[in-house]
Amino acid sequence: MPNIKQIAEAAGVSVSTVSRVLNNHPYVREDKRKAVEAAIERLQYSRNMNAVHLVKGATQTIGVILPQINNAYFGKVVEGIGQQALQVNYQLMLFQTGYRANEERKALRMLRDKIVDGLIIISRSLSLNQIEKYAKYGPITLCEEVRGRALSCVYFDHYTSFQKALTYLWDKGHRRIGYTINRRNSASSAVRHKAYLNTLASLGGESREAWIFDNCLHLEDGAKLLQHIRTMDDPPSALLITGDQVAAGLMIAAQNQGVRIPEELAIIGLDNQPISKLLGITTIDNRLNEIGAKAFSIIYRHIHEQTDEAIIQELGFKIIERSSV
Amino acid sequence: MPNIKQIAEAAGVSVSTVSRVLNNHPYVREDKRKAVEAAIERLQYSRNMNAVHLVKGATQTIGVILPQINNAYFGKVVEGIGQQALQVNYQLMLFQTGYRANEERKALRMLRDKIVDGLIIISRSLSLNQIEKYAKYGPITLCEEVRGRALSCVYFDHYTSFQKALTYLWDKGHRRIGYTINRRNSASSAVRHKAYLNTLASLGGESREAWIFDNCLHLEDGAKLLQHIRTMDDPPSALLITGDQVAAGLMIAAQNQGVRIPEELAIIGLDNQPISKLLGITTIDNRLNEIGAKAFSIIYRHIHEQTDEAIIQELGFKIIERSSV
DNA sequence: CTGTTAGCGCCTTCAC
DNA sequence: GTGAAGGCGCTAACAG
């Protein structure tokens, strides 16, 4: 494969001239430009972008850290990132970490090693301290609330959304309210737990450890959850389920087993996935697509405006009433 | 940020020695190695991988062309690719094309421009002729049957699976059998259509244009489909649905509207997604994860064994009987 | 075992 | 407008 030098020779100009037409610089005489373009066409030239990346010190690529690609929640966020990236001709490099610290670290190193110009972390297991160490190598944006650090973020308010949802259930007459999460020790879990305790306390209601269920991420987890709840002596009458996949799994299992929703168990989901609409599940729209889009925009601003200070952005949410409560 | 030269100075050795320890070459005296490592640590050195990519002519990255990330079908395949890539420390670059020819072309150019070492095409709209032009720049593997070209592929047999599924429905007593697809003019659609016509002909059954439904890809499409079928004068009694998402959407809509499956309408899905299990949908397991994994392995072989000739690999499938037929 | 040196392919001052 | 030349950071002969 020819390089820029050979094109220069073929076109009878210097490499700088070739470079100029390659980069659409002005000040190139029309006939030379034509000659270069002809040579490029004739020799089937294509730029080796690695050389460009080296000399420019940037790759127009941003990395995305996520536990798994094949998941409705992460999928929606990545989609948002991708749509935005497309607009400005950036590429996406996906790091499927499975929440393994080691894989997350590998991705962080990609930033340090200049393989990506920035990093979006959709979900993580590494500590913020660990992550912050890499902030000096390039912009990092998390999809969760982070303050007082060299890290930007977009998020929606877990606390208030929980509060609103719990109150909603309370107003509908529920007095035994529980909730589900995925990982016990995630950032959002702590916030949610606090919201749960505080809200119920202020409503004068009861909160119980036994009404909190973890490891709920996939459809199947919802089905298992229902199974479990049916064996409980004093089951919750309503559940705040953090993820429509799980809510859907529970809903379908309930239909299969003749458990009436909401009469026997009321549920409210999260993420506003298509399936919740089909199943009539009341849910919270947390604008996942926009979270992804915003995350990208923030990275982009960091790169192009040299703004070093963290950008913090909160996105709103909305309860979508359907018939599962 | 320091470069290799500065590390060399700091450690009192030459750049080659630094390069050697960086790349775990043998033949480096222990004390020098230590000195280099110390300097790296002290100066917080990290390699600029773009330089490595340039000099090596490879990036350890492979590109994946897919219409959209947020989709159960593509998600499963990408997951498979990713798992395999992880094993050998390759990165994945995702190109979300939305079936736009222009976006697909952009991705192809990434191969030409050496940004990726190979390309996996999960689904496409560009012609094979167009794609084959880029094969000279690096290995390309499609997730569909392709023969007689400079393109490798992994696929499962649409024809036989259709045949088997149709026969299955026939044996269950169905005589008015239809099917769904996504895009009319996709590669698989032609094959499926032929399988449909041939199989029913050989069974002595009837095939009808009106029993073929297109634009079926998402959950919602399944719901719409049911709607549509209910307005038909002479609806099919059984449907071969190419995608469990669509099948699930139809199933849920049916439950909502009190349409009995399989009594009033039998369905058989495809992809063996988790949701089909929960809903009791009979489906075809086409091993999407493995398709992804194999696709990566093929690319990897091309890269490391210099095998230029196309690798063609067929994966089996299996009907999973549940209760929707 | 180790250092010197010539690239990898491109961009970008700087003079003309 | 245009070309010469230095440099981006690293690897891999080659010579010792």
Side-chain angles (χ1 to χ4, degrees):
Chain A
M1 277 185 6
N3 58 21
I4 197 173
K5 205 167 159 190
Q6 304 178 37
I7 298 301
E9 278 169 20
V13 299
S14 72
V15 291
S16 0
T17 299
V18 178
S19 179
R20 287 194 188 96
V21 344
L22 246 28
N23 295 290
N24 292 315
H25 279 262
Y27 307 133
V28 176
R29 224 168 53 211
E30 200 48 29
D31 57 329
K32 299 222 172 190
R33 156 164 280 122
K34 290 275 180 238
V36 170
E37 277 162 356
I40 287 176
E41 181 58 32
R42 187 154 46 81
L43 301 189
Q44 290 258 39
Y45 169 75
S46 80
R47 222 177 341 191
N48 182 332
M49 290 308 287
N50 291 312
V52 177
H53 292 165
L54 171 59
V55 73
K56 295 236 176 180
T59 58
Q60 303 242 101
T61 300
I62 73 138
V64 179
I65 291 185
L66 77 174
Q68 42 185 293
I69 294 171
N70 188 18
N71 170 293
Y73 175 90
F74 304 126
K76 240 181 157 177
V77 179
V78 174
E79 190 176 51
I81 298 172
Q83 285 159 354
Q84 213 60 24
L86 195 68
Q87 310 276 325
V88 291
N89 242 291
Y90 264 62
Q91 261 50 252
L92 249 47
M93 196 171 259
L94 258 55
F95 303 110
Q96 207 172 188
T97 63
Y99 283 123
R100 287 180 297 265
N102 210 37
E103 292 305 321
E104 294 183 9
R105 234 175 259 117
K106 253 197 218 165
L108 253 1
R109 276 189 222 119
M110 298 283 170
L111 180 62
R112 186 196 64 186
D113 298 348
K114 301 196 140 294
I115 288 179
V116 296
D117 296 344
L119 217 42
I120 293 175
I121 302 181
I122 299 184
S123 190
R124 67 181 166 99
S125 67
L126 237 41
S127 74
L128 289 177
N129 282 333
Q130 299 261 329
I131 292 169
E132 200 177 11
K133 279 185 199 155
Y134 289 83
K136 64 179 168 209
Y137 299 118
I140 300 179
T141 296
L142 296 266
C143 297
E144 64 183 87
E145 190 172 357
V146 172
R147 290 181 186 280
R149 290 177 182 271
L151 301 167
S152 290
C153 66
V154 228
Y155 65 96
F156 92 105
D157 187 344
H158 291 294
Y159 192 96
T160 310
S161 63
F162 243 56
Q163 194 177 41
K164 283 264 167 65
L166 289 167
T167 306
Y168 179 83
L169 290 170
W170 180 271
D171 290 346
K172 292 280 187 178
H174 290 284
R175 292 300 177 265
R176 290 173 302 150
I177 307 176
Y179 74 91
T180 79
I181 48 173
N182 179 18
R183 298 172 306 144
R184 280 265 174 205
N185 54 357
S186 80
S188 57
S189 294
V191 176
R192 284 167 170 165
H193 191 58
K194 199 156 65 168
Y196 177 68
L197 298 179
N198 290 353
T199 306
L200 284 178
S202 80
L203 288 170
E206 182 188 3
S207 51
R208 269 198 217 176
E209 265 307 317
W211 291 342
I212 304 174
F213 309 91
D214 61 1
N215 287 316
C216 289
L217 180 58
H218 295 111
L219 208 62
E220 307 89 294
D221 301 325
K224 272 187 230 144
L225 176 59
L226 181 71
Q227 215 57 261
H228 174 63
I229 284 180
R230 295 190 71 186
T231 69
M232 291 175 72
D233 285 336
D234 197 3
S237 75
L239 231 38
L240 187 40
I241 300 177
T242 61
D244 279 346
Q245 290 298 307
V246 177
L250 186 146
M251 180 66 119
I252 293 172
Q255 291 179 349
N256 290 344
Q257 302 168 218
V259 174
R260 284 165 308 137
I261 308 273
E263 293 79 4
E264 298 178 50
L265 180 65
I267 60 174
I268 169 165
L270 181 66
D271 300 346
N272 192 23
Q273 298 281 2
I275 197 167
S276 67
K277 181 169 183 189
L278 216 49
L279 287 167
I281 297 172
T282 293
T283 189
I284 301 173
D285 182 5
N286 49 3
R287 299 154 67 183
L288 294 180
N289 257 287
E290 279 176 72
I291 289 202
K294 270 283 173 235
F296 181 87
S297 303
I298 290 175
I299 291 283
Y300 192 77
R301 275 189 56 191
H302 277 302
I303 292 174
H304 293 272
E305 299 179 11
Q306 312 288 35
T307 33
D308 249 14
E309 68 186 297
I311 298 173
I312 294 177
Q313 194 143 130
E314 184 181 319
L315 255 48
F317 63 89
K318 194 169 70 206
I319 292 183
I320 297 183
E321 295 193 67
R322 293 202 268 246
S323 51
S324 66
V325 177
Chain B
M1 279 185 8
N3 59 23
I4 198 172
K5 206 168 160 189
Q6 304 178 37
I7 298 301
E9 279 169 20
V13 299
S14 73
V15 290
S16 6
T17 299
V18 178
S19 178
R20 287 194 187 95
V21 345
L22 247 29
N23 294 290
N24 292 314
H25 279 260
Y27 306 134
V28 177
R29 225 168 54 210
E30 200 49 28
D31 57 329
K32 300 223 173 194
R33 157 163 279 123
K34 290 275 181 238
V36 170
E37 277 161 357
I40 287 176
E41 182 59 31
R42 187 154 47 81
L43 301 189
Q44 290 258 39
Y45 169 76
S46 79
R47 225 179 336 194
N48 183 332
M49 291 307 288
N50 290 313
V52 178
H53 292 165
L54 172 59
V55 73
K56 295 235 177 180
T59 58
Q60 303 242 101
T61 300
I62 72 136
V64 179
I65 292 185
L66 77 174
Q68 43 185 295
I69 294 171
N70 187 18
N71 171 291
Y73 175 91
F74 304 126
K76 241 181 156 177
V77 179
V78 174
E79 190 175 50
I81 298 172
Q83 286 159 353
Q84 212 61 22
L86 195 68
Q87 311 274 326
V88 290
N89 242 292
Y90 265 63
Q91 261 49 255
L92 248 49
M93 196 171 261
L94 257 56
F95 303 110
Q96 207 174 187
T97 62
Y99 284 124
R100 286 181 298 265
N102 210 38
E103 292 305 320
E104 294 183 9
R105 234 175 259 120
K106 254 198 218 165
L108 253 1
R109 278 189 222 118
M110 299 283 170
L111 181 63
R112 185 195 62 186
D113 297 348
K114 302 197 141 293
I115 287 178
V116 297
D117 297 344
L119 217 42
I120 294 175
I121 302 180
I122 300 183
S123 191
R124 68 181 165 98
S125 68
L126 238 41
S127 74
L128 289 175
N129 281 333
Q130 299 262 326
I131 293 170
E132 200 176 11
K133 280 185 200 157
Y134 289 83
K136 64 180 166 206
Y137 300 118
I140 300 178
T141 297
L142 296 267
C143 297
E144 65 184 86
E145 189 171 357
V146 173
R147 289 179 186 279
R149 289 179 183 270
L151 301 167
S152 290
C153 65
V154 227
Y155 65 96
F156 92 106
D157 187 343
H158 292 294
Y159 192 95
T160 311
S161 64
F162 242 57
Q163 194 176 43
K164 283 263 167 66
L166 289 168
T167 306
Y168 179 83
L169 290 170
W170 180 272
D171 289 345
K172 292 280 185 177
H174 290 283
R175 292 300 176 266
R176 289 172 305 147
I177 307 176
Y179 73 92
T180 78
I181 47 171
N182 178 19
R183 298 173 307 144
R184 280 265 172 205
N185 54 356
S186 80
S188 58
S189 293
V191 176
R192 284 167 169 162
H193 191 58
K194 198 157 67 170
Y196 176 70
L197 297 179
N198 290 353
T199 306
L200 285 179
S202 80
L203 288 170
E206 181 188 5
S207 51
R208 269 199 218 176
E209 264 308 316
W211 292 340
I212 303 173
F213 309 91
D214 62 0
N215 286 314
C216 289
L217 180 59
H218 296 110
L219 207 63
E220 307 89 294
D221 301 326
K224 270 187 232 145
L225 176 58
L226 181 69
Q227 214 57 263
H228 174 64
I229 284 180
R230 295 191 70 188
T231 69
M232 291 175 71
D233 285 336
D234 198 3
S237 76
L239 231 38
L240 188 39
I241 300 178
T242 60
D244 279 345
Q245 290 298 306
V246 177
L250 186 146
M251 180 66 118
I252 293 171
Q255 290 178 347
N256 290 344
Q257 302 168 217
V259 175
R260 285 165 308 138
I261 308 274
E263 293 79 4
E264 298 177 50
L265 180 65
I267 60 175
I268 169 164
L270 181 65
D271 300 347
N272 193 23
Q273 299 281 1
I275 198 167
S276 68
K277 182 169 184 190
L278 216 50
L279 287 168
I281 297 172
T282 293
T283 188
I284 301 172
D285 182 5
N286 49 3
R287 300 156 66 183
L288 293 180
N289 257 287
E290 279 176 73
I291 289 199
K294 269 282 171 235
F296 182 86
S297 304
I298 289 175
I299 291 282
Y300 192 77
R301 275 188 57 191
H302 277 302
I303 292 175
H304 293 272
E305 300 178 11
Q306 312 288 36
T307 33
D308 250 15
E309 68 186 294
I311 298 173
I312 294 176
Q313 194 144 125
E314 183 180 320
L315 257 47
F317 63 89
K318 196 169 68 205
I319 292 184
I320 298 184
E321 296 193 66
R322 292 202 269 248
S323 50
S324 66
V325 177

